[in-house]
Amino acid sequence: MKQFISARDVSDINAFVKKALEYKANPFKDKSLGTNKRIGLLFLNPSMRTRLSTQIAAQNLGMEPIVFNVGSEGWALEFEDEAIMSGNKVEHVKDAAPIMGKYFDILCIRTFPSLQNREDDYSELYIKQFIKYSDIPVVSLESSTLHPLQSFTDIITITEVLQNRKPQTTNHKPKIVLTWAPHVKALPQCVSNSFSQWVNAWGEAEFVITHPEDYELDEQFTKGATITHNQEEALKDADFVYVKNWSTYNDYGKIYCNDPEWMLTNEKLKLTNNAKVMHCLPVRRNVELSDEILDGSNSIITQQASNRVWAAQTILSEILKTK
Ligand code: CP
């Protein structure tokens, strides 16, 4: 594996899930794989889970992780080729990335979208420029449009729950519902795009997306899912409910709806097949998700976040084995 920026970089998702669960059972089994290797974690934006879990994953493989908060501590980077750098950008990625390529064996990058210009954000310029100029494997810690380590974790967690369930009498596929939820800020579409891409690529679930009108996501990620504006209809018999806010895609980066009726409650959960509730975190309590759901027995958010380590460890190990 030379890069990890989307589901397209994984040929067999179930095989990767199996490896991740093996790491969960035996975290140090490949402790010598990363001996004398160094991994750089570059953050242009804040993070808690991604930065900690990726560092732990690297250390489990014997690698030395170095975190660099480029956004707050580094020189302001220019990403456009042929830019005339007379503004506030101090260093071009074309100059910075090759140096990082010499310092590190693997480079991990987190960027966010501007939510100002859809074409720019969806071009994924930042991560593509690091891939182009660093000349070492690049791992996305969340990009402008996708969050692949989160989505891989989500499939690991769903598989783990299904494996621990009593055998089903019927052979039906689990029903997974991605539901939009209210939020006070305009948030990226990354997690929802990425979750949709991974569930579709995995192909082992009935997949339903529900959101208010005019909140359609990019079809390149959602194609294959059933999409409805009727949340209650969507929730019927669901086995997993993934809750997430996103801002509008078509009229880009806007908040059209803040209807609290879209927040998941225990009453709505009664429509489901005792569904497990998922969220990538961080979450705004009692705005995006209610206390009663987050603190209730159906929530698997802590299990989900803890699995971030095994997702990262699997991807890093695949890269190390390829190098
Ligand atoms: N889910 C997630 O990426 O969390 P952080 O933003 O804390 O890394």
Side-chain angles (χ1 to χ4, degrees):
M1 178 179 266
K2 290 240 160 61
Q3 65 175 35
F4 181 71
I5 59 171
S6 94
R8 284 194 279 272
D9 295 312
V10 175
S11 53
D12 184 341
I13 292 178
N14 279 332
F16 272 53
V17 169
K18 186 167 175 283
K19 283 178 193 164
L21 292 174
E22 283 165 8
Y23 277 130
K24 185 166 184 169
N26 190 358
F28 306 113
K29 73 188 182 82
D30 284 330
K31 183 73 190 170
S32 57
L33 194 61
T35 305
N36 298 331
K37 305 274 186 200
R38 199 173 291 127
I39 181 169
L41 282 72
L42 271 53
F43 287 88
L44 282 89
N45 305 91
S47 162
M48 190 266 261
R49 279 144 290 269
T50 307
R51 67 187 295 157
L52 295 179
S53 62
T54 312
Q55 286 181 84
I56 294 165
Q59 285 171 336
N60 286 352
L61 295 167
M63 296 189 90
E64 182 192 357
I66 295 182
V67 174
F68 180 28
N69 298 308
V70 189
S72 57
E73 295 164 354
W75 300 114
L77 287 178
E78 174 63 63
F79 287 89
E80 293 285 349
D81 283 332
E82 297 173 27
I84 297 169
M85 292 174 56
S86 56
N88 57 3
K89 303 289 173 59
V90 179
E91 180 159 33
H92 202 285
V93 66
K94 198 172 183 173
D95 301 310
I99 298 164
M100 292 176 189
K102 299 292 179 206
Y103 291 162
F104 300 117
D105 299 280
I106 301 175
L107 196 55
C108 306
I109 296 139
R110 167 174 277 208
T111 66
F112 273 177
S114 65
L115 295 180
Q116 303 296 315
N117 181 316
R118 188 176 78 185
E119 202 180 321
D120 282 356
D121 288 344
Y122 275 68
S123 77
E124 291 285 12
L125 178 70
Y126 289 13
I127 201 148
K128 282 186 180 160
Q129 291 292 63
F130 273 108
I131 291 169
K132 185 173 169 186
Y133 292 120
S134 66
D135 203 28
I136 56 170
V138 168
V139 173
S140 168
L141 299 176
E142 187 169 0
S143 65
S144 297
T145 66
L146 294 170
H147 196 350
L149 281 175
Q150 179 65 56
S151 311
F152 177 30
T153 303
D154 300 335
I155 302 293
I156 293 166
T157 308
I158 288 167
T159 303
E160 195 177 33
V161 168
L162 291 173
Q163 284 177 354
N164 290 334
R165 263 194 190 166
K166 287 188 197 127
Q168 299 274 341
T169 44
T170 57
N171 231 354
H172 78 280
K173 286 182 171 184
K175 180 175 176 182
I176 299 175
V177 177
L178 169 63
T179 179
W180 182 91
H183 204 285
V184 289
K185 280 182 68 181
L187 294 191
Q189 293 112 31
C190 311
V191 169
S192 310
N193 283 343
S194 194
F195 185 70
S196 302
Q197 186 194 41
W198 278 75
V199 173
N200 279 329
W202 186 45
E204 303 219 355
E206 178 193 347
F207 185 34
V208 179
I209 303 173
T210 182
H211 56 70
E213 280 185 36
D214 301 319
Y215 271 86
E216 285 74 21
L217 293 161
D218 186 345
E219 206 188 40
Q220 68 167 307
F221 304 118
T222 60
K223 202 167 182 190
T226 302
I227 299 170
T228 171
H229 300 145
N230 186 334
Q231 190 191 42
E232 293 197 352
E233 181 73 28
L235 291 173
K236 269 182 207 154
D237 301 324
D239 297 289
F240 296 88
V241 181
Y242 202 104
V243 180
K244 186 72 186 87
N245 170 270
W246 62 88
S247 59
T248 53
Y249 169 73
N250 287 321
D251 180 18
Y252 191 58
K254 304 283 192 307
I255 298 177
Y256 275 10
C257 173
N258 229 340
D259 185 354
E261 282 298 309
W262 273 86
M263 190 172 69
L264 192 66
T265 57
N266 277 342
E267 195 55 34
K268 288 187 191 176
L269 210 56
K270 286 181 188 160
L271 296 166
T272 71
N273 181 27
N274 197 22
K276 297 297 182 194
V277 179
M278 305 176 74
H279 189 285
C280 63
L281 301 174
V283 65
R284 299 252 185 167
R285 278 179 176 255
N286 303 312
V287 175
E288 202 179 359
L289 249 180
S290 57
D291 275 343
E292 64 179 14
I293 293 281
L294 285 164
D295 301 332
S297 58
N298 290 62
S299 167
I300 54 169
I301 55 166
T302 305
Q303 177 185 354
Q304 186 185 355
S306 70
N307 282 338
R308 292 290 307 267
V309 172
W310 320 117
Q313 193 164 335
T314 303
I315 298 306
L316 298 183
S317 73
E318 287 301 310
I319 291 173
L320 287 169
K321 284 173 193 163
T322 312
K323 268 178 77 77

